[in-house]
Every structure is written in structure tokens, then in C-alpha cells.
Amino acid sequence: MSNELEAFLEYISVTRALSSKSVEAYKSDLLQIEAQTGSKLLCLNSEKLLSVLSNYSNKRTLNRKLSAVNAFFDFCYKQHFSEKTDKFKFAKIPKLLPKFLSYEEVKRGLLLIDRTTWIGARDYALILFLYASGTRISECLALRGEDIEGEWLHVLHAKGEKERIVPLAKVAIKAIEVYKSMMPFESEYIWLNYQKNVLSRISAYKITQKYLGISPHILRHSYATSLITGGADLRVVQELLGHSSLVSTQIYTHIQKENLKETLEAYHPMSNFHN
């Protein structure tokens, strides 16, 4: 590994305070490019670099590697390690509307759950919690009892190792309390399996798939969509979801625009006017 690359990794780890996973991803992408070209990054010309990167047919993978390269070159230029000012454009990716469930669809799924057992009470509470909090499944499964204070949820295990505080619906809190009262053992963690171990991602997936036919992440989209169609500001949704950039939240503007269009057609007197 070159001294420049080591310095870059230290910079994004210490100065920019990126998560260890993000730093490792940058390192992996940049070292992979060097291995494929057989040359250090700063020794590569644009043609050679783009020739190698063009082998990636998946545009999201390509853009991730381009992002790493751009960040590295920008760092080296600002630190006077190089005179390269190349900045590669990202590949265009069609903006797809995220799949989501309506409130009625979530309710129908919840009605299928037998809540007379503690496992059923857990499944019911888990689905309600995911829909009411918009948390990532990793954040949800890392939840401890102390992370819920009154009607507020402290998300301590968020992406990027940052903390955020979000309000939690009373119905979700009540469901968790009922589930915990039925649970045959105690633990600092909330979501457990029958062996007293923290629920796995695969188990959580099986639960939401069984009752709703979706992955847990779709409930995060459903949470955001419900907020947007209800009139929430995009910046507020960004804060609640824990997005570091508004760019990640802007995918929901398509939903916002469609909702405005439907509202206009339903209520504006000119919507059905014909010459």
C-alpha cells in the first residue's frame, strides 16, 4: 500500500470520522483497482483507469468505485501529493420508486398474527416497531430496553456510528411492553429468539415475509412514505431516517409530487374542467 493511500485512509477515518465499515470499503475498492491495473493509483492515466472501471456492468458498483477514486484524487491534490485534478462523472442510474406498503396493508398483516403466545406478541411488536420508527433492521435488532425513554427512541447503533433521537408511537411502545411481559426470560436486548439470543437478520426477514410478504427494509420505506404523503418536510424525514445527506432522502420526492398531483385532481375545481 502506498504512503498516499495510507494517509487517505487515516484522513477519512480520523478527520472525517467515517465508520470502520466505510473506511474498509474505500480501502477494498482502491486496492482492487490497483490490483487489476498492476499500478499505483497516482501512476494511472485516465484512459487506463476508465478502461478497467468499464468492466463493471453494475452501475451502482461502478459509481461506488468512482466515488472512492474521486475522493482519493481530491485528497491527494489538496495535500499536494499530486497535481491530478481529474474528477470522473458517475454513471446515470434510473430513479426507481422504492416499494412500500400502505397503512391498511400493514394492518391486514398484523391481523394474521396470533398474539396469545410470546413469539406472536414479539412478531406483532417487531412489525409495529419497524413501521413506527423507520429504523434500519441492524439498528432495530441492536435495541436495548434502555434505548426507549418515555415516547422517545435513542438509536445508538446507527449507520455511521452516529446517534439520533426519534419519537415512537404509543401503540408500538405498548406492543413492546406486552411482548416483554410475556417473554419467559429477561435480557438487556429487546428482540430475542426462543433460545434467548438476539434475533438474527434472517429471522427478522422471515417474520416480515410471513405476515407482509416483504423484507424489513420495505417497512422503513413505508414509514418514510407515510410521512411524505402526510405532508412532512423532506428535511424532517431526513433527520428521522438518519440520512447523512438529503440526496438519500430525495428519492421520496417522487412520492411527494405524485401525492400533490392526486390532491390537486381531487380537490381543485379546474381539474375536471373541459372546454
Side-chain angles (χ1 to χ4, degrees):
M1 187 188 303
S2 67
N3 293 333
E4 293 84 4
L5 184 49
E6 283 190 12
F8 171 69
L9 294 174
E10 182 179 355
Y11 164 73
I12 61 176
S13 175
V14 178
T15 305
R16 288 189 56 193
L18 296 188
S19 69
S20 56
K21 288 184 179 179
S22 294
V23 174
E24 190 59 37
Y26 273 104
K27 178 181 176 181
S28 175
D29 283 338
L30 295 174
L31 286 178
Q32 188 178 49
I33 292 171
E34 287 190 341
Q36 290 171 335
T37 58
S39 179
K40 298 297 182 184
L41 283 168
L42 288 180
C43 298
L44 290 171
N45 58 40
S46 299
E47 290 75 18
K48 177 65 173 177
L49 183 58
L50 289 174
S51 175
V52 171
L53 291 175
S54 65
N55 293 322
Y56 291 98
S57 57
N58 186 305
K59 291 184 178 181
R60 295 186 186 278
T61 300
L62 171 61
N63 283 348
R64 193 188 72 232
K65 294 186 184 297
L66 285 171
S67 177
V69 169
N70 284 339
F72 174 70
F73 281 169
D74 182 63
F75 168 78
C76 289
Y77 176 75
K78 289 178 179 177
Q79 295 297 317
H80 306 292
F81 295 154
S82 168
E83 294 183 357
K84 284 180 180 288
T85 57
D86 298 334
K87 194 172 184 67
F88 301 102
K89 292 183 178 180
F90 295 135
K92 290 185 177 180
I93 299 176
K95 292 184 177 179
L96 300 175
L97 200 62
K99 181 180 178 181
F100 62 90
L101 297 184
S102 68
Y103 174 56
E104 293 301 323
E105 288 173 318
V106 174
K107 282 204 304 183
R108 282 199 295 270
L110 290 171
L111 290 174
L112 300 175
I113 303 175
D114 176 11
R115 287 185 277 161
T116 61
T117 67
W118 78 269
I119 291 292
R122 179 202 64 190
D123 295 353
Y124 180 83
L126 178 67
I127 290 174
L128 262 181
F129 175 82
L130 287 168
Y131 183 60
S133 66
T135 52
R136 302 174 179 90
I137 190 58
S138 57
E139 296 168 347
C140 170
L141 298 180
L143 192 69
R144 302 168 189 257
E146 63 187 23
D147 295 334
I148 299 178
E149 293 185 9
E151 296 179 12
W152 294 92
L153 171 67
H154 292 254
V155 185
L156 304 175
H157 310 272
K159 186 178 179 181
E161 298 173 1
K162 298 176 182 178
E163 176 185 340
R164 70 181 186 277
I165 301 175
V166 298
L168 190 59
K170 292 180 180 179
V171 64
I173 296 172
K174 178 64 177 177
I176 291 174
E177 290 174 347
V178 171
Y179 149 58
K180 289 177 68 177
S181 70
M182 297 173 66
M183 195 163 54
F185 31 67
E186 293 185 1
S187 172
E188 62 178 320
Y189 291 97
I190 291 181
W191 309 112
L192 305 176
N193 61 22
Y194 66 93
Q195 294 178 320
K196 199 181 175 180
N197 296 321
V198 174
L199 202 66
S200 68
R201 294 173 71 103
I202 293 176
S203 294
Y205 174 84
K206 288 180 177 178
I207 292 168
T208 57
Q209 185 68 32
K210 178 180 179 180
Y211 297 109
L212 300 173
I214 59 166
S215 70
H217 197 69
I218 300 302
L219 283 172
R220 179 169 161 84
H221 287 319
S222 303
Y223 168 83
T225 301
S226 295
L227 290 171
I228 290 293
T229 55
D233 181 83
L234 206 60
R235 289 282 183 186
V236 174
V237 178
Q238 175 194 359
E239 183 73 20
L240 292 171
L241 290 176
H243 286 160
S244 57
S245 169
L246 191 61
V247 174
S248 301
T249 319
Q250 284 176 338
I251 189 171
Y252 298 108
T253 57
H254 297 283
I255 299 168
Q256 190 176 42
K257 289 176 182 177
E258 185 62 28
N259 187 54
L260 288 173
K261 181 174 178 290
E262 290 176 357
T263 301
L264 178 67
E265 291 176 348
Y267 298 107
H268 197 283
M270 296 293 290
S271 61
N272 296 313
F273 179 79
H274 301 285
N275 287 328

